[in-house]
């Protein structure tokens, strides 16, 4: 593989490229799911290939192939230079890459149990057992459970001298209970909706999540929601559970902090950003309690790695500090445009795509109170948890989220379950209303395994650390 990388770099440089990099990628994915006692998916796939970026006269060209052969590497290297030359004929500003120190390094995700060493029969037995427990509860119409594992091996090499080998292991698991009655459907998911929880790590995740201990509770809540009262339409104090707050961070802070959106070079798929460069270091996006970091080094986060797809070392840095907007996720190109240091946020979802600026683990730092203390300190409010749907505008300012479940809070106590909860707000006012964040005892890095961006769309894995937090005077129960 090293010989193929050197061949690509030499060929592109001889073609006139001032900078070249190549990623050689091998990925194995396993996906299993069961539904109502039936096996729905058994997927085990393998994919490999390489992608070459060449810079010529201030413009990038990119070419890729699945054929790991010397003649194909030469062909793609030459093609990447030709595309760069053609792009240079119609370029705007020159691409200038911020300086980095080229690294020769190796990184591997720490894990205890290789999920690909666990027999298929054992994995299916686990899923079917969970499925049976949920289906055994009266009133449950649909029960499902799933597992997903990914092993990604990558070599990155550049004409500046970088040579980085990485192996990233990801594991995920989840289950759902659905009750249907009275013309409506209610769902409860564990440990999170949209597929469950994911980490960089191994099969030890499945045991750690204690599915057996939560199956009955999940089923009971789904059935109870059918008879629960509707979430009222009003303004009140809102406590968001950690998994819901994680998606709130993802959509209303993480995406706006991507520097390509802020500069207007990414817009067509999911919009640009209200956090324009003139606001950097000046704009209050939250209350003084709000501290948000991007941390690709966080243990077990789904956005954790050693080096990004430009060879920049993973790092931790502030995006929001005491409510003030202080930082962007950037690339070498966008970092140079603003005179910043590259912070390792460029990733591609495979060998056939050029890297984009992507979130790593974008997390709200914990506060100092426990969840019990926070509920006890709330006289009148609502606690919502587990995302069901969301919508946000193309500047990431106006949003609406719905969750699977809510509870009314009266005089410091959870009093009754509420169904069909949702809330709405404007990003800076919402985060500005945050008056309490719970402590480390309930803080967890939740996963977003399916973040989409770009055209053609790339789907990549991100993480978001969060613990439950309270927001004052929020509009809830909208749309009735």
């Amino acid at each position: 593989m090293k010989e193929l990388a050197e061949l690509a770099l030499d060929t592109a440089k001889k073609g006139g490229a001032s900078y070249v990099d190549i990623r050689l990628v091998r990925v194995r994915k396993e996906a299993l799911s069961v539904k109502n006692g039936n096996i729905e998916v058994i997927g085990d796939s393998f994919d490999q290939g390489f992608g070459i970026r060449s810079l010529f006269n201030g413009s990038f060209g990119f070419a890729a192939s699945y054929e790991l052969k010397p003649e194909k590497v030469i062909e793609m290297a030459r093609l990447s230079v030709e595309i760069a030359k053609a792009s240079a004929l119609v370029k705007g500003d020159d691409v200038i890459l911020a300086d980095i120190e080229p690294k020769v390094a190796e990184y591997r995700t720490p894990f205890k149990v290789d999920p690909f060493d666990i027999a298929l029969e054992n994995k299916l037995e686990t899923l079917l057992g969970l499925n049976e427990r949920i289906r055994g509860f009266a009133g449950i119409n649909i029960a499902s459970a799933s597992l997903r594992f990914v092993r990604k091996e990558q070599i990155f090499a550049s004409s500046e001298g970088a040579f980085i080998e990485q192996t990233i292991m990801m594991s995920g698991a989840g289950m759902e209970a659905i009750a249907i009655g009275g013309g409506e459907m209610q769902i409860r998911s564990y440990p999170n909706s949209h597929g469950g929880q994911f980490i960089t790590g191994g099969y030890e995740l499945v045991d750690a999540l204690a599915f057996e201990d939560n199956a009955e509770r999940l089923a009971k809540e789904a059935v109870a929601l059918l008879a629960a009262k509707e979430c009222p339409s009003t303004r009140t104090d809102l406590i968001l559970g950690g998994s819901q707050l994680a998606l709130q961070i993802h959509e209303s802070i993480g995406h706006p902090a991507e520097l390509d959106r802020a500069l207007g070079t990414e817009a067509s798929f999911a919009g640009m950003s209200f956090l324009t460069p003139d606001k950097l270091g000046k704009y209050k996006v939250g209350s003084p309690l709000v501290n948000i970091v991007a941390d690709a080094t966080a243990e077990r986060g789904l956005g954790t790695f050693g080096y990004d797809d430009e060879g920049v070392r993973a790092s931790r840095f502030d995006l929001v500090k005491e409510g003030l907007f202080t930082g962007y996720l950037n690339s070498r190109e966008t970092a140079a445009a603003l005179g910043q240091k590259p912070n390792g946020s460029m990733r591609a979802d495979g060998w056939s795509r050029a890297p984009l600026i992507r979130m790593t683990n974008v997390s709200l730092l914990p506060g100092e109170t426990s969840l019990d203390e926070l509920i006890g300190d709330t006289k009148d409010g609502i606690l919502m948890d587990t995302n069901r749907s969301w919508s946000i505008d193309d500047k990431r300012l106006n949003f609406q989220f719905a969750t699977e479940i809510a509870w009314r809070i009266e005089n410091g106590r959870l009093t009754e379950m509420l169904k069909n909860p949702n809330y709405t707000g404007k990003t800076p006012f919402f985060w500005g209303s945050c008056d309490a964040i719970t402590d480390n005892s309930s803080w967890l890095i939740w996963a977003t395994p399916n973040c989409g961006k770009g055209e053609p769309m790339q789907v990549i894995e991100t993480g978001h650390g969060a613990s439950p937090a309270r927001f004052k005077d929020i509009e809830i129960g909208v749309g009735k």
Side-chain angles (χ1 to χ4, degrees):
M1 299 292 271
K2 186 173 184 179
E3 291 75 17
L4 292 178
E6 291 174 345
L7 181 60
L9 301 179
D10 289 343
T11 302
K13 284 192 293 184
K14 288 176 181 175
S18 57
Y19 169 85
V20 193
D21 63 38
I22 179 171
R23 288 177 297 110
L24 301 107
V25 183
R26 287 176 173 165
V27 180
R28 182 181 176 187
K29 297 180 180 179
E30 183 179 35
L32 308 170
S33 70
V34 302
K35 185 176 181 180
N36 282 359
N38 299 310
I39 298 171
E40 284 224 318
V41 175
I42 299 179
D44 193 345
S45 62
F46 175 78
D47 185 32
Q48 69 175 22
F50 65 92
I52 301 171
R53 287 196 314 173
S54 293
L55 186 63
F56 178 88
N57 193 23
S59 290
F60 265 125
F62 178 79
S65 173
Y66 64 90
E67 295 185 74
L68 294 172
K69 301 175 181 177
E71 56 270 28
K72 187 57 72 173
V73 168
I74 292 171
E75 180 185 342
M76 292 299 106
R78 288 172 175 167
L79 180 59
S80 70
V81 176
E82 292 305 310
I83 292 172
K85 288 179 178 177
S87 298
L89 298 176
V90 292
K91 66 182 177 182
D93 295 332
D94 281 352
V95 173
I96 297 173
L97 300 179
D99 291 337
I100 62 170
E101 181 182 352
K103 297 288 186 181
V104 177
E106 184 175 352
Y107 174 86
R108 292 180 180 273
T109 298
F111 62 85
K112 295 179 180 177
V113 181
D114 188 335
F116 296 99
D117 287 344
I118 304 295
L120 174 62
E121 293 77 9
N122 293 346
K123 295 170 182 170
L124 291 174
E125 183 180 355
T126 298
L127 291 178
L128 290 168
L130 281 174
N131 205 242
E132 196 58 34
R133 285 196 61 144
I134 297 172
R135 291 175 68 208
F137 194 83
I140 291 298
N141 300 89
I142 301 173
S144 60
S146 62
L147 297 171
R148 180 181 157 199
F149 308 103
V150 178
R151 180 174 60 225
K152 177 182 177 183
E153 301 167 276
Q154 175 170 303
I155 291 175
F156 172 88
S158 79
S159 56
E160 295 172 334
F163 189 85
I164 299 166
E165 296 176 88
Q166 289 196 98
T167 301
I168 308 293
M169 184 77 80
M170 291 176 269
S171 297
M175 62 181 180
E176 294 179 343
I178 293 176
I180 301 172
E184 65 175 320
M185 180 193 79
Q186 294 295 336
I187 183 172
R188 288 295 287 134
S189 307
Y190 177 83
N192 198 1
S193 50
H194 312 304
Q197 171 68 332
F198 296 75
I199 62 167
T200 50
Y203 198 80
E204 62 272 12
L205 169 74
V206 179
D207 293 331
L209 288 176
F211 282 102
E212 293 280 344
D213 298 340
N214 286 278
E216 184 175 336
R217 174 188 62 80
L218 205 67
K220 285 182 176 178
E221 288 179 351
V223 174
L225 280 167
L226 290 175
K229 291 181 181 177
E230 287 278 345
C231 176
S233 297
T234 187
R235 298 188 72 91
T236 190
D237 294 347
L238 172 64
I239 296 177
L240 292 181
S243 65
Q244 171 57 32
L245 190 52
L247 189 62
Q248 179 79 51
I249 296 165
H250 179 97
E251 299 293 348
S252 65
I253 298 293
H255 277 308
E258 295 166 344
L259 186 49
D260 51 355
R261 293 186 192 279
L263 293 175
T265 55
E266 163 66 21
S268 56
F269 179 69
M272 295 190 287
S273 171
F274 71 97
L275 292 176
T276 47
D278 59 299
K279 294 184 173 71
L280 186 62
K282 304 172 185 174
Y283 185 73
K284 280 284 188 180
V285 72
S287 76
L289 295 177
V290 176
N291 292 285
I292 297 178
V293 301
D295 186 0
T297 70
E299 185 178 0
R300 292 181 172 265
L302 199 60
T304 298
F305 47 84
Y307 295 83
D308 77 351
D309 288 345
E310 290 191 312
V312 180
R313 190 166 189 170
S315 66
R316 171 183 166 128
F317 52 92
D318 294 320
L319 296 178
V320 177
K321 190 170 181 61
E322 297 179 351
L324 185 68
F325 166 51
T326 58
Y328 282 114
L329 299 139
N330 67 27
S331 61
R332 292 184 67 182
E333 177 184 353
T334 56
L338 291 193
Q340 298 179 342
K341 182 180 177 182
N343 51 38
S345 304
M346 281 285 273
R347 288 187 291 160
D349 75 349
W351 54 266
S352 62
R353 298 282 186 262
L356 301 169
I357 296 174
R358 306 308 300 260
M359 282 177 259
T360 55
N361 302 299
V362 175
S363 303
L364 175 68
L365 298 185
E368 297 180 347
T369 187
S370 71
L371 179 56
D372 287 343
E373 290 170 338
L374 180 60
I375 293 171
D377 182 55
T378 303
K379 184 176 182 181
D380 183 19
I382 301 284
L383 189 157
M384 297 187 189
D385 201 14
T386 317
N387 182 262
R388 189 163 181 174
S389 68
W390 71 96
S391 176
I392 191 164
D393 71 22
D394 61 0
K395 292 292 180 66
R396 304 277 157 179
L397 267 175
N398 301 279
F399 59 77
Q400 180 174 317
F401 288 86
T403 64
E404 292 182 355
I405 195 167
W407 290 268
R408 187 186 298 277
I409 304 172
E410 296 175 298
N411 297 316
R413 294 177 56 247
L414 299 179
T415 55
E416 63 178 336
M417 182 184 292
L418 300 170
K419 67 181 175 183
N420 303 327
N422 61 66
Y423 65 97
T424 188
K426 294 186 178 181
T427 297
F429 299 107
F430 179 81
W431 286 104
S433 74
C434 181
D435 79 330
I437 304 170
T438 57
D439 59 19
N440 260 321
S441 64
S442 52
W443 193 88
L444 181 69
I445 300 182
W446 296 92
T448 302
N450 52 0
C451 175
K453 183 176 180 181
E455 289 189 10
M457 187 172 76
Q458 298 189 40
V459 178
I460 213 158
E461 302 84 8
T462 70
H464 303 284
S467 55
R470 185 173 64 192
F471 301 84
K472 303 291 285 186
D473 191 30
I474 301 299
E475 186 175 2
I476 69 167
V478 293
K480 300 185 180 67

